[in-house]
Amino acid sequence: MTYKLLFVCLGNICRSPAAENIMNHLSKENGLSGSIVCDSAGTSSYHIGSPPDRRMSAAAAQKLGIQLQGRARQFQKSDLQEFDLILAMDKDNYADILALDTSSKYHHKVKLMCDFCSRHTLKEVPDPYYGGAEGFNQVIELLVDACEGLLNHITAQQV
Ligand code: 4NP
């Protein structure tokens, strides 16, 4: 049994690829890489095919020693059926995802990433794109907190 997670932001070059790679890293560390499958997508088409933003990659390498893998793709309606849990980085992403759930059949699968944080009180993962390096470091810290919570949530359920 595999549990399929999809992380979603606007561009799929900063927050969601970082979340995907951090979750893969934590899953591996906890011996769960065979049972948790991660992917990421953007609600926009702006960066389709692009690798993760180099500033996000630098922060992940510096803070966690991991290399960000993947290429940007756009979120699509079929993702609602495909994945077990869909994690939106902010409320705009959340609304854009649910706008594709025209039958409201998959509403229960879509959550805000920060709902899984236990050490941070922010409700959204801030968009770091137009800011400085500190914003990217903050994203990494928030995502580690949320991914740890997510791992606990999944293991408590079934995996
Ligand atoms: P992301 O960051 O949604 O975390 O990948 C952004 C990337 C690109 C843009 C905005 C946010 N953009 O406007 O191009």
Side-chain angles (χ1 to χ4, degrees):
M1 184 69 190
T2 55
Y3 198 87
K4 297 184 72 177
L5 296 172
L6 182 67
F7 300 94
V8 180
C9 61
L10 177 63
N12 193 209
I13 54 169
C14 297
R15 294 165 292 176
S16 64
E20 174 192 351
N21 281 271
I22 290 169
M23 195 65 193
N24 278 333
H25 177 65
L26 291 182
S27 298
K28 202 176 288 180
E29 276 189 346
N30 286 275
L32 292 168
S33 53
S35 32
I36 299 177
V37 173
C38 300
D39 193 6
S40 64
T43 56
S44 77
S45 60
Y46 304 154
H47 296 279
I48 290 174
S50 296
D53 186 288
R54 66 184 69 241
R55 299 165 296 171
M56 195 75 255
S57 297
Q62 194 199 350
K63 290 184 83 74
L64 303 174
I66 62 172
Q67 305 291 322
L68 299 187
Q69 314 286 335
R71 295 272 167 180
R73 72 170 178 90
Q74 189 169 16
F75 182 82
Q76 54 193 25
K77 203 175 159 100
S78 58
D79 290 324
L80 290 163
Q81 187 179 1
E82 178 79 12
F83 290 88
D84 297 302
L85 196 54
I86 298 169
L87 289 314
M89 297 299 131
D90 64 33
K91 291 172 186 170
D92 286 343
N93 308 147
Y94 182 82
D96 289 341
I97 294 165
L98 287 189
L100 291 180
D101 183 19
T102 44
S103 61
S104 295
K105 193 174 164 192
Y106 302 108
H107 191 282
H108 63 284
K109 291 186 180 184
V110 187
K111 310 276 184 208
L112 276 170
M113 187 67 175
C114 286
D115 288 352
F116 292 92
C117 283
S118 60
R119 298 187 297 276
H120 294 79
T121 53
L122 275 179
K123 296 294 176 213
E124 303 179 279
V125 183
D127 181 349
Y129 193 67
Y130 292 107
E134 203 39 52
F136 289 88
N137 289 331
Q138 184 194 22
V139 166
I140 297 286
E141 283 177 17
L142 265 176
L143 292 178
V144 168
D145 189 1
C147 283
E148 287 174 357
L150 207 43
L151 200 63
N152 289 335
H153 172 79
I154 294 167
T155 49
Q157 275 192 354
Q158 52 152 8
V159 177

